[in-house]
Amino acid sequence: AQKVTQAQTEISVVEKEDVTLDCVYETRDTTYYLFWYKQPPSGELVFLIRRNSFDEQNEISGRYSWNFQKSTSSFNFTITASQVVDSAVYFCALSETTSGTYKYIFGTGTRLKVLA
Amino acid sequence: SAVISQKPSRDICQRGTSLTIQCQVDSQVTMMFWYRQQPGQSLTLIATANQGSEATYESGFVIDKFPISRPNLTFSTLTVSNMSPEDSSIYLCSVLWGRSTEAFFGQGTRLTVV
């Protein structure tokens, strides 16, 4: 069965600290996609990154970086030099493609609070 | 990405009434979905809105409670019927374009049932 686990319910850091949000997933499919979304207090979901199951290259985008490791079924997200504007709930999600439905399974989210 | 507009953005409704939420996209999309996010919780898929046919509902969601329409490739509605306080949630429309696999979301409808 598909499952996404975000064990960290809430993290608080002081501005400029680095922070890593963990995501562990379960799937029986060999082809799948992993995503991170940000949900600021306003409520909309903002797409951050997609990673497919055949691409284990880590990715960096500005202060954001992602570490995908199939061996541990993890897709962790690191924010470097955090800022107050990073405060939000972050969701990891999994989408399997073999069924053709492209449904997303979301983790329970990690609330990040960055303190000034 | 295109613009996804959801209306209303928020509403406070009396129990026993129904509310219809609209999702309008400014370009044709391949797939449209409706999610529910209960307070402090993650997102749960309600159904896939199929153009011109009945929606495909996930376990725990039924058409009588959440009727969905999708008359064309750019528009869908979700109705929350016979509402109770337990229906208080954020309801989000999500779309996929073409062969893309990253979903984009509307700004959500924050529903409070009193």
Side-chain angles (χ1 to χ4, degrees):
Chain A
Q2 306 162 294
K3 187 177 180 182
V4 176
T5 301
Q6 293 180 255
Q8 304 149 308
T9 304
E10 183 168 314
I11 302 175
S12 292
V13 299
V14 177
E15 207 170 18
K16 297 183 183 176
E17 285 185 357
D18 298 347
V19 58
T20 295
L21 310 182
D22 298 333
C23 174
V24 175
Y25 63 93
E26 295 177 29
T27 177
R28 284 180 288 195
D29 272 21
T30 56
T31 303
Y32 53 89
Y33 292 86
L34 295 164
F35 306 83
W36 277 96
Y37 285 84
K38 174 182 180 181
Q39 187 177 43
S42 53
E44 78 273 22
L45 273 164
V46 179
F47 167 77
L48 295 178
I49 191 171
R50 177 197 72 177
R51 177 63 70 218
N52 75 53
S53 51
F54 297 107
D55 182 4
E56 286 193 74
Q57 273 195 330
N58 292 329
E59 181 156 338
I60 297 175
S61 175
R63 296 185 296 107
Y64 296 169
S65 62
W66 291 270
N67 184 336
F68 175 32
Q69 293 197 349
K70 286 180 76 171
S71 60
T72 55
S73 297
S74 65
F75 186 42
N76 297 336
F77 173 30
T78 297
I79 301 175
T80 304
S82 59
Q83 299 175 2
V84 173
V85 294
D86 296 326
S87 297
V89 180
Y90 291 85
F91 289 98
C92 181
L94 164 72
S95 175
E96 294 178 344
T97 60
T98 51
S99 64
T101 61
Y102 296 93
K103 296 187 293 187
Y104 278 36
I105 303 296
F106 283 85
T108 50
T110 297
R111 182 178 299 277
L112 174 64
K113 293 184 178 179
V114 182
L115 309 172
Chain B
S1 62
V3 175
I4 306 168
S5 301
Q6 246 186 271
K7 290 193 290 188
S9 58
R10 58 177 63 233
D11 207 342
I12 301 174
C13 300
Q14 297 291 322
R15 68 176 67 202
T17 63
S18 298
L19 175 71
T20 295
I21 303 167
Q22 297 181 359
C23 179
Q24 177 74 57
V25 191
D26 68 352
S27 62
Q28 294 183 348
V29 298
T30 308
M31 303 188 79
M32 297 182 81
F33 306 90
W34 287 97
Y35 287 84
R36 180 176 73 182
Q37 185 179 20
Q38 294 176 301
Q41 304 294 313
S42 185
L43 284 82
T44 301
L45 180 64
I46 298 172
T48 303
N50 300 310
Q51 191 227 339
S53 65
E54 191 173 291
T56 304
Y57 289 84
E58 297 300 304
S59 176
F61 297 97
V62 294
I63 188 171
D64 290 346
K65 176 66 175 177
F66 297 102
I68 288 171
S69 78
R70 189 181 171 193
N72 56 50
L73 294 176
T74 64
F75 184 77
S76 178
T77 65
L78 167 73
T79 299
V80 186
S81 303
N82 188 25
M83 288 184 285
S84 67
E86 292 71 36
D87 294 320
S88 298
S89 297
I90 298 175
Y91 292 87
L92 296 115
C93 168
S94 171
V95 303
L96 288 175
W97 278 275
R99 298 172 68 86
S100 168
T101 56
E102 54 261 34
F104 291 88
F105 289 80
Q107 65 269 51
T109 297
R110 198 177 293 266
L111 171 63
T112 302
V113 183
V114 297

